[in-house]
Each structure stands twice: as C-alpha cells, then as structure tokens.
Amino acid sequence: MKKKQSATIYDVASRVGVSLATVSRVVNGNTNVRESTKRKVLAAIDELGYHPNAVARGLASKKTTTIGVVMPDVTDMYYSELARGIDDVANMYHYDVLLTNTDEDPVRETMAVNNLATKQVDGIIFMGNELDREVLNTIASVDAPVVLAGFLTSDGSLPSVNIDYVAAIRESTKALIRNGHQRVALVIGPLTHAINKQYRLKGYQDALEEMGIDYDESLVFTSHQDYAAGMQVAERVTAAKATAAITYDDEVALGIMNYMIDKGVKVPDDFEVVTSNNTKFAIVTRPAVTSISQPKYDIGAVAMRMLTKLMNNEILEDTQITLPHTIERRGTTKNDLEIKM
Amino acid sequence: MKKKQSATIYDVASRVGVSLATVSRVVNGNTNVRESTKRKVLAAIDELGYHPNAVARGLASKKTTTIGVVMPDVTDMYYSELARGIDDVANMYHYDVLLTNTDEDPVRETMAVNNLATKQVDGIIFMGNELDREVLNTIASVDAPVVLAGFLTSDGSLPSVNIDYVAAIRESTKALIRNGHQRVALVIGPLTHAINKQYRLKGYQDALEEMGIDYDESLVFTSHQDYAAGMQVAERVTAAKATAAITYDDEVALGIMNYMIDKGVKVPDDFEVVTSNNTKFAIVTRPAVTSISQPKYDIGAVAMRMLTKLMNNEILEDTQITLPHTIERRGTTKNDLEIKM
DNA sequence: CTGAAAGCGCTAACAG
DNA sequence: CTGTTAGCGCTTTCAG
C-alpha cells in the first residue's frame, strides 16, 4: 500500500485516453469538461489512487498555497492563540502553514523570512514585538505580502492587526487611579520597541495626565515575558512603593501576584494587578487576574484574511486594522474598579 | 527591491559563463568544483541576489526538506511544548515544519495526512491521543515515515516517543495511598483510547493492587482536556467521596483544585491533587500543583531526531522510545508525599 | 572538474 | 470541450 504518489497525472490521462490537460482541468475544477469524460477521469483517479503533486503544481503555477508564520515562540499562549486564528482561516482558504519560532532574535527572524521566500510561500504573517531594520529590509526584499499580527511598527509601513494599545492601557491606568492608587507601576517590554514606548507608555502617561498625577519614570519597569521575570520585577515594583501594577504579559502578572502573595501582601486589598492578554493564565489562578481582553484569535484570523486579499492582489481599504478590546474584571482588582474612557 | 526571486540558476550560470550544473554543484556544496570557478559563481550569486527555488529543487530531487506536524491544538500547552522541541531539532537539520491543528477529529486528521502527502513532505510527526482506524490506514498509505510523539497505539506498529505512563501513574497513585487516601480518583480521557485504558488505568489498578485496595470503577472519571471540564468533573469527584485525584491534564487539575478551593475544601489538607504534564499551569497557581514531570521538549526533539533517521533510510535500533519521568512535588500534596517505585 | 541532456509532475496559453 | 506545446527552476546521470 506504500508509494501512493506513484500515479501521476500522465497515468490517469493515458488510462482514460485523454490528454494531461483534460485531467488537469477536472482536478482543478475547470468547468470546460464534458460531464461524461469528467466522470471517467474521476473514476480513473480513484482507481489509481492518484493525488496531485503540490510541488509540481507549485513550480508550474508559481503558487504554493502555503503561507509562512513567523512567531517568537509557540509555547507562549498569547502567540499560540493568534496562531490558531491564523491557522483556522488559512485552512478555510486552503492554505497550509509553515511555522517558524524565532525567540524574537532578529538574526533568526531574517533567516526565517529568507527561508520562507526560498520555499516560495505565497505570503507571510509576522508576530513579535518589533521589527529590526535588517528584518524590515529583508521583508521588503521578499516577493510575498507580509502582514503583522499583534504588534506594529511606528511608521505603519506594513499592514497590521492590533487593538488600540494606547486606549487599553489608558483606561486601565485610569481605573486603577480612580481606585485610589497614586503609584501605579507599568511593567512592559523594552522601550526601544515602538509598541512599548509609543503605545503602551503613551497610554499610561495620558492617563496620568488626565488624572492630574505627575509622571514618575521610576514606576516604569522593563521585563521579559515570563513568570520568573515577573517575580523578579515584583521586587523592584515593591521597592518603588507602587500599590498597583499594569503588565503587558500574563505570565509576568502572575509572577508579580504570586510574589506579593508569598510576601503576605493581600491581592487585591493591598495591591491590585491588571494584565493585558487575557490568556488562560488569567483565569486559572485564585484570585483570577483582571485583564484587558484582546480578541487574540480574531487578530490572527483577520490578519490571515487580509493576507488572502493581498495574495489575491486585492486592494486593502484599510491596512492598519484595530479590533475592539474590553476589560475583564476579576479578582486582582477591587470590585469597584470602574472602567471609563 | 521587490522580485528578489527573479534571478534563476540559469542567470547565474550565464553570467559566469559556466553551465547550470556547475552552479548547482556549488550551491549544493559539491566538492567537485575548481576553487576559482567556485569563487566566481559565489560572487555572481551574491551580485544577482540569487536564491535557490526550493520548489523546483523539490520537484527535481524529490525531497522537500519539509516535515508535517499534525497536532490537536497549538494553544494546548502540552502539545505546543512538544512542538517546540520538534521545531528546534527540525531547524537543526534544516527542515521546515508544516503545522496542522486537528482538534483530534479523525476526519481532519485524515485530511491533514493526505494533504501533507500531497505537499510531498519528507516525514510526519503525529500528536494526539489515539489513532482511528481510518487515520491509521491513511498513514500506512503515505510514502513518508511517521512518528508519534506523546502517545502510542496498543500494537506499537508506529515508531513513538513517550514516557512510561503505567509507571508514572502507578507511582503517583501509590504515593497518594501511602499518604492515607483510600479513595483516589483517576481523571483521564476516554477509555476507548489505548493510552488511557492500557496505560494510565493500568498503572492506577496496579497501584491499588499492590497496596491492597479494591478497584472501584466509580472512582475513574473521563474528562475533556480543559479547565471548564475540570471544574465539572470535580463535582462528580466530590460526590464519589474521593479525597485525592490524579489527572492526565494540567488544566483539568486546575479546574478540580479551584472547584475545591471555591467550595472551601482545603488543598492539600482535605484534598490532594497530582497532575501529569507539568506545564507552566502547574507552577503559576497557589498552591502550585504536584505533577508527573515529562520531558516534553525532549519528547518532541527525540521524535524529530528519529524522523530524520527514518527519512535518511537509517534503521532504528529501537522504535518505541521511553524517556524518563520524575515527580515534581509541590503544594497540592502533603509534604510527606513519598515517591517510591 | 565541467557540460549536455533529460526529466521531476503539473499548469497554461493557444489552437482547433 | 479537448489536445499540443512549452516551460516552471533545479537535480542528476552520463560523457568527456
């Protein structure tokens, strides 16, 4: 039963007594084939166990019906949920997904994009936190549309799908301030990244300004995106005498929360926490974590949908898509947390 | 700067004044090329920005340097950690990964395998809980080696990488019994799956027998692999008057634990929990969850390593690989939990 | 060490 | 509605 791929389009053609072209037509659903011959071809295909060779098809048609997905890490819940959205709509449009983990290393990101180009993918969806100049150049040099999912560059030169980070952080910060906090810590990624400096930090600063609180740089912390990093930054947050924190990553939020709990600090009574991604991590703890709720699956799905249009040479009416977010109130904030614009 | 792929091997050849064959040789690292012409070819490649077309190469060589990974769901931490191990060693051997989510639906699994065959992947790594007969037939019909990661079939007809589930569950069950529990609940997946019935349940029964406790079918529960399902099964576990539980999935364990906590049952004082996958979920809660520790990343990595051998037509000395596991004691079991063989 | 020639399996005009 | 004819870009004998 091995060697399924042995039958070629030629075998089918000669068996039925038609030309390659005819077989190709029925395989590709071309309507210009007489019903009777179509039936015969289909029968032969079945008997021979013929399956089209996508590689040959790719060479001839210059379309591989494969897209590349470049992401920091599949084991990161935030990205994997985006990936699931991407994969589902990719399948819906009959695309396969070539997955690459980069750990946000620009060198690996560059290699990944180049490699995907070599494999002739029809398009690429890129996830991460920032686009290094060299990566940007590589993307520009590639003959395949690229869309960013879950982050963006400051110049908006590439199509992307995101939520309104400024508003999301602004709202949460204000809510915390209304809850009585004068010192709210902001825990984000490197300020060298546009998404952190121009969006998240901006939202935080806007909130402070609107609420009449002076911006204190010492309340802004940079952290890696993992649990251990959260525990570490928690110590600094404590030292800075913050009484609440907004984080950009759920694992970091849990690290901070558990640090507090382990130190005997009551959450939310003595310390409130709001996180950003609303992954499963935010709901399995006690207390569960209040979070900005991003439509992660949809971000991936919409990005993929955009990509299909791009691959189809359609014009996008809007290249910078912003999806709505909400705030999910849970146990790490006091019940009277009030969300307002 | 667009249209990078414009240059072909032919362009390079004519620019240098050699034949295609020569360029192909230097591109593929064939040593039979004079150093001077090699240098010239390399220079031309650089000037023209030539990048080999993997699709054409695949057609000609019948190797795509791409493998397929079929998994239930990327957003499931257990599988995504396996996937990361796979991806890392795949890259090490210069393979790309085509990812497909199946939600364990046999229909989608069958389609996935067929699709991967169409795409001419050189090999496939399959993850899941069970192989449906039809899926098994499809796998057999495909002309590419397949290895299973993180589960197995009862007949061992396919190469696989796992831990010793029987021993792992036996040890944890016995440890719980030694802790004084007469009624330990076992929460696993459907008994129609070999991994549940012939391995996990067996380990549980062996432990009971060794400890002189009668097997009580009403203490074995079937549950889906998610948090909500865990909360649901917890109610039944409580009704069955179990005082401890062993689960096959971390999210399920958290569901059970939180159900107990929410009901005022003290964990671990009044109820102990041991889970199986030791994902990040097990460490971010308070208490953190005692877990069987599987080398998930390594399971994926070893599976991929096996696959490379298979793709290289090497003979495997051992097709059923068992990796070592340990038990990670945390806060959902009493401190005197004693692990013995 | 290098070139010529024959495909890999399929799509895509172009005829008819 | 169907066949013919070119390739797609590269690998791979086989000569030399």
Side-chain angles (χ1 to χ4, degrees):
Chain A
M1 204 164 176
K2 284 270 170 182
K3 285 196 159 195
K4 173 173 226 161
Q5 186 51 49
S6 50
T8 74
I9 197 170
Y10 181 79
D11 298 325
V12 177
S14 66
R15 192 177 213 293
V16 182
V18 294
S19 71
L20 303 188
T22 300
V23 178
S24 176
R25 284 188 188 100
V26 349
V27 168
N28 292 298
N30 189 314
T31 50
N32 292 132
V33 181
R34 195 195 303 154
E35 193 56 36
S36 64
T37 74
K38 178 177 176 180
R39 219 187 309 281
K40 276 189 281 185
V41 170
L42 253 15
I45 285 177
D46 197 49
E47 289 165 28
L48 268 41
Y50 166 75
H51 282 250
N53 179 324
V55 173
R57 194 201 300 246
L59 220 210
S61 69
K62 301 195 155 293
K63 287 190 191 314
T64 54
T65 59
T66 299
I67 65 144
V69 169
V70 181
M71 62 176 359
D73 184 6
V74 243
T75 69
D76 183 308
M77 205 63 102
Y78 175 69
Y79 297 115
S80 66
E81 289 197 24
L82 293 188
R84 190 49 145 105
I86 293 168
D87 193 53
D88 283 357
V89 349
N91 285 331
M92 205 172 292
Y93 286 90
H94 302 294
Y95 282 96
D96 288 309
V97 172
L98 224 33
L99 208 282
T100 315
N101 292 100
T102 62
D103 291 323
E104 292 187 57
D105 175 356
V107 175
R108 294 174 63 186
E109 290 177 333
T110 302
M111 285 177 53
V113 172
N114 274 141
N115 181 239
L116 289 171
T118 287
K119 292 265 176 160
Q120 313 296 123
V121 296
D122 296 334
I124 295 174
I125 292 188
F126 201 108
M127 293 182 249
N129 279 296
E130 179 72 346
L131 281 184
D132 180 272
R133 169 143 300 291
E134 185 166 5
V135 179
L136 214 43
N137 288 338
T138 305
I139 286 177
S141 76
V142 159
D143 183 31
V146 175
V147 359
L148 312 182
F151 81 114
L152 30 58
T153 53
S154 47
D155 63 356
S157 59
L158 257 13
S160 69
V161 183
N162 292 277
I163 61 163
D164 182 343
Y165 303 108
V166 177
I169 296 290
R170 175 166 23 83
E171 292 156 16
S172 339
T173 305
K174 287 172 69 175
L176 248 14
I177 293 171
R178 281 199 204 91
N179 258 19
H181 298 280
Q182 287 290 313
R183 298 183 66 74
V184 176
L186 176 69
V187 181
I188 53 182
L191 289 177
T192 47
H193 296 175
I195 191 172
N196 292 313
K197 181 161 190 177
Q198 296 173 42
Y199 294 85
R200 299 201 248 243
L201 180 58
K202 172 131 191 345
Y204 175 78
Q205 290 175 321
D206 285 357
L208 292 179
E209 190 175 329
E210 288 177 32
M211 300 300 283
I213 295 182
D214 288 336
Y215 170 61
D216 179 353
E217 202 179 37
S218 68
L219 284 172
V220 177
F221 303 87
T222 286
S223 162
H224 285 295
Q225 281 179 74
D226 62 66
Y227 181 72
M231 303 254 349
Q232 284 165 23
V233 80
E235 197 176 336
R236 296 195 284 137
V237 167
T238 302
K241 301 202 185 311
T243 56
I246 295 183
T247 67
Y248 78 126
D249 180 271
D250 294 0
E251 288 188 52
V252 169
L254 295 189
I256 293 176
M257 178 171 87
N258 286 340
Y259 175 92
M260 296 301 170
I261 292 175
D262 294 352
K263 289 286 182 191
V265 176
K266 298 265 180 275
V267 175
D269 298 337
D270 301 329
F271 195 91
E272 295 191 68
V273 179
V274 177
T275 186
S276 291
N277 297 339
N278 198 34
T279 62
K280 290 177 189 170
F281 283 117
I283 60 174
V284 299
T285 55
R286 287 295 179 273
V289 190
T290 293
S291 179
I292 292 166
S293 176
Q294 303 192 33
K296 296 182 292 298
Y297 181 92
D298 294 339
I299 290 174
V302 170
M304 183 62 214
R305 183 65 185 98
M306 281 175 85
L307 190 62
T308 63
K309 290 184 182 171
L310 255 11
M311 294 187 293
N312 211 25
N313 293 313
E314 292 175 37
I315 303 295
L316 297 178
E317 51 310 333
D318 190 2
T319 62
Q320 304 299 312
I321 293 188
T322 302
L323 262 25
H325 64 271
T326 57
I327 309 268
E328 203 71 49
R329 299 190 208 181
R330 300 208 181 85
T332 57
T333 45
K334 291 172 193 157
N335 290 333
D336 54 342
L337 179 73
E338 194 184 345
I339 311 294
K340 284 185 192 168
M341 294 299 165
Chain B
M1 201 165 176
K2 282 270 171 182
K3 285 197 162 194
K4 171 175 227 161
Q5 186 51 49
S6 51
T8 74
I9 197 171
Y10 181 79
D11 298 325
V12 177
S14 66
R15 194 176 211 293
V16 183
V18 293
S19 73
L20 304 188
T22 300
V23 177
S24 176
R25 286 191 186 96
V26 349
V27 167
N28 292 298
N30 189 316
T31 49
N32 291 134
V33 181
R34 196 195 303 155
E35 192 57 36
S36 63
T37 74
K38 179 177 175 180
R39 219 186 310 280
K40 276 189 283 186
V41 170
L42 253 16
I45 284 176
D46 197 50
E47 290 164 27
L48 266 41
Y50 166 75
H51 282 250
N53 178 325
V55 173
R57 195 202 299 248
L59 220 212
S61 69
K62 301 196 156 291
K63 286 190 192 314
T64 54
T65 60
T66 299
I67 65 144
V69 169
V70 181
M71 64 177 356
D73 185 6
V74 244
T75 70
D76 183 308
M77 205 61 104
Y78 174 69
Y79 297 115
S80 66
E81 290 195 25
L82 294 187
R84 189 49 144 105
I86 293 169
D87 193 54
D88 283 357
V89 350
N91 284 332
M92 205 171 290
Y93 286 90
H94 303 294
Y95 282 97
D96 287 310
V97 172
L98 224 33
L99 208 283
T100 314
N101 291 101
T102 63
D103 290 322
E104 293 187 56
D105 176 355
V107 175
R108 293 173 65 186
E109 290 177 334
T110 302
M111 284 176 54
V113 172
N114 274 141
N115 182 240
L116 290 171
T118 287
K119 292 266 176 157
Q120 313 297 122
V121 296
D122 296 335
I124 295 175
I125 291 189
F126 201 109
M127 293 182 249
N129 279 297
E130 180 72 346
L131 281 183
D132 179 273
R133 169 143 299 291
E134 185 166 6
V135 178
L136 214 43
N137 288 338
T138 306
I139 287 177
S141 75
V142 159
D143 184 31
V146 175
V147 358
L148 313 182
F151 82 115
L152 30 59
T153 53
S154 46
D155 62 356
S157 59
L158 257 13
S160 69
V161 184
N162 292 276
I163 61 163
D164 182 342
Y165 303 109
V166 178
I169 296 290
R170 176 169 20 85
E171 292 156 16
S172 340
T173 305
K174 286 172 69 176
L176 248 13
I177 293 171
R178 281 199 205 91
N179 257 20
H181 297 280
Q182 287 289 313
R183 299 183 65 75
V184 177
L186 176 68
V187 182
I188 53 184
L191 289 176
T192 47
H193 296 174
I195 191 172
N196 292 313
K197 181 160 190 178
Q198 296 173 41
Y199 294 84
R200 300 201 247 244
L201 179 58
K202 172 130 190 348
Y204 175 77
Q205 291 175 320
D206 286 357
L208 291 180
E209 190 175 329
E210 288 177 33
M211 300 300 283
I213 295 181
D214 288 338
Y215 169 61
D216 180 352
E217 203 180 37
S218 69
L219 284 172
V220 176
F221 303 86
T222 286
S223 162
H224 286 294
Q225 283 178 73
D226 61 67
Y227 182 72
M231 304 252 353
Q232 284 166 22
V233 81
E235 197 176 336
R236 295 194 285 135
V237 167
T238 301
K241 301 201 184 311
T243 56
I246 294 183
T247 67
Y248 78 126
D249 179 272
D250 294 0
E251 288 188 54
V252 170
L254 294 188
I256 293 175
M257 179 172 88
N258 285 341
Y259 175 92
M260 297 299 170
I261 292 175
D262 295 351
K263 290 287 183 188
V265 177
K266 298 265 179 275
V267 176
D269 299 338
D270 302 329
F271 196 91
E272 296 190 67
V273 179
V274 176
T275 187
S276 291
N277 298 339
N278 198 33
T279 61
K280 290 178 190 169
F281 283 117
I283 61 174
V284 299
T285 55
R286 286 296 178 272
V289 189
T290 293
S291 179
I292 292 166
S293 176
Q294 303 192 35
K296 296 181 291 299
Y297 181 93
D298 294 339
I299 289 174
V302 170
M304 183 63 215
R305 183 66 186 95
M306 281 175 85
L307 191 61
T308 62
K309 291 184 181 173
L310 256 9
M311 294 187 293
N312 210 26
N313 292 313
E314 291 176 36
I315 304 295
L316 297 178
E317 53 309 333
D318 191 2
T319 61
Q320 305 298 313
I321 295 189
T322 302
L323 262 25
H325 64 271
T326 56
I327 309 268
E328 203 71 50
R329 299 189 208 183
R330 299 206 181 85
T332 57
T333 46
K334 291 171 193 159
N335 291 334
D336 53 343
L337 180 73
E338 193 185 345
I339 312 293
K340 285 182 192 169
M341 293 298 164

